[in-house]
Amino acid sequence: MHRPRPAVGVSVAVLIVAGVMSGGGTGRASADPGSAGTLYVNHDVACSDTGAGTQSAPFCTVQAAADVVEPGQTVRIEALDDQTYSESVTLTRSGTKDAPITFTGAPISVGGSWSELDSSGAGPALTLKAVHDVRVEYLGVWYRGGDGVAVTGSQSVDLDRLSFPRPAVRGPGAGTAVTVDGASSDVTVSRNWIGDFVPPESDEPHVVYGGDPAAVIAALERV
């Protein structure tokens, strides 16, 4: 993946997505109570969505981790073969002020690429639904046919160092990088990138907010 150009201003994210479009197991996962605060997702190795989510026995899908993550835990998403996670992920679990929930991609090595989410349907790749104290960082999020990240009814959300690539030709009904509804507040989008194929002269909105514009300004000033 090519590094995209920096986004002008800020981008925002907490998401809403319907269903999971890929899976590596059946049943509901159960987080390992003995874990040291990190749940692992890696579809490049032996994995199971009904397993413990440890580094040696990771989940296959991001949704499996989203279903069981607890306050204070980090979900680490790895993609050693650069294969995108083709799923729509919905997070409905929250952290706390002192113990936020974090979703992060694996560190990028020299010449490496980011872990990526890509919804194969018309919904967002990532939806943050009625959550609070959540951080999402170091991920690539495609928005081919719908929004990249949708934040609905959520508070205290940070979207940091995300990449929003997209193809030059997008499908019908293609959305924006980030949408935040009017019921959300205290959403900060910082140090994000918008894809290579967005023309510099484009007036396409990268972040759409459905509430009081003053709340948007307050959020941007926090970046």
Side-chain angles (χ1 to χ4, degrees):
M1 185 182 77
H2 298 294
R3 176 170 290 278
R5 67 181 177 84
V8 176
V10 184
S11 339
V12 186
V14 179
L15 329 150
I16 291 185
V17 178
V20 180
M21 309 203 65
S22 67
T26 59
R28 184 178 178 85
S30 57
D32 178 7
S35 66
T38 301
L39 298 178
Y40 290 86
V41 180
N42 190 341
H43 57 187
D44 297 335
V45 300
C47 60
S48 172
D49 278 351
T50 60
T54 61
Q55 189 168 19
S56 59
F59 295 129
C60 299
T61 65
V62 179
Q63 185 66 57
D67 287 342
V68 298
V69 63
E70 298 287 347
Q73 287 189 313
T74 294
V75 175
R76 180 179 167 117
I77 304 165
E78 301 183 326
L80 303 180
D81 64 359
D82 292 339
Q83 293 299 309
T84 298
Y85 286 85
S86 298
E87 53 179 307
S88 294
V89 179
T90 300
L91 178 66
T92 58
R93 299 169 72 89
S94 297
T96 67
K97 181 178 179 180
D98 296 325
I101 286 173
T102 300
F103 281 72
T104 185
I108 305 174
S109 60
V110 176
S113 60
W114 303 31
S115 297
E116 296 180 343
L117 285 177
D118 185 2
S119 170
S120 59
L126 175 61
T127 297
L128 301 182
K129 184 175 182 179
V131 302
H132 57 83
D133 297 291
V134 171
R135 179 178 179 83
V136 184
E137 62 182 17
Y138 292 113
L139 285 174
V141 183
W142 288 83
Y143 57 115
R144 303 173 193 269
D147 297 329
V149 175
V151 179
T152 63
S154 299
Q155 292 77 40
S156 299
V157 173
D158 289 324
L159 299 183
D160 188 45
R161 295 183 175 92
L162 301 181
S163 172
F164 292 94
R166 61 158 212 190
V169 178
R170 301 198 295 167
T176 57
V178 178
T179 61
V180 182
D181 74 354
S184 298
S185 62
D186 193 20
V187 177
T188 300
V189 181
S190 59
R191 294 175 289 188
N192 295 296
W193 297 78
I194 302 297
D196 295 341
F197 303 111
V198 179
E201 68 277 8
S202 173
D203 59 359
E204 172 189 330
H206 302 313
V207 180
V208 174
Y209 182 70
D212 181 357
V216 179
I217 295 172
L220 298 185
E221 288 175 348
R222 292 181 54 223
V223 176

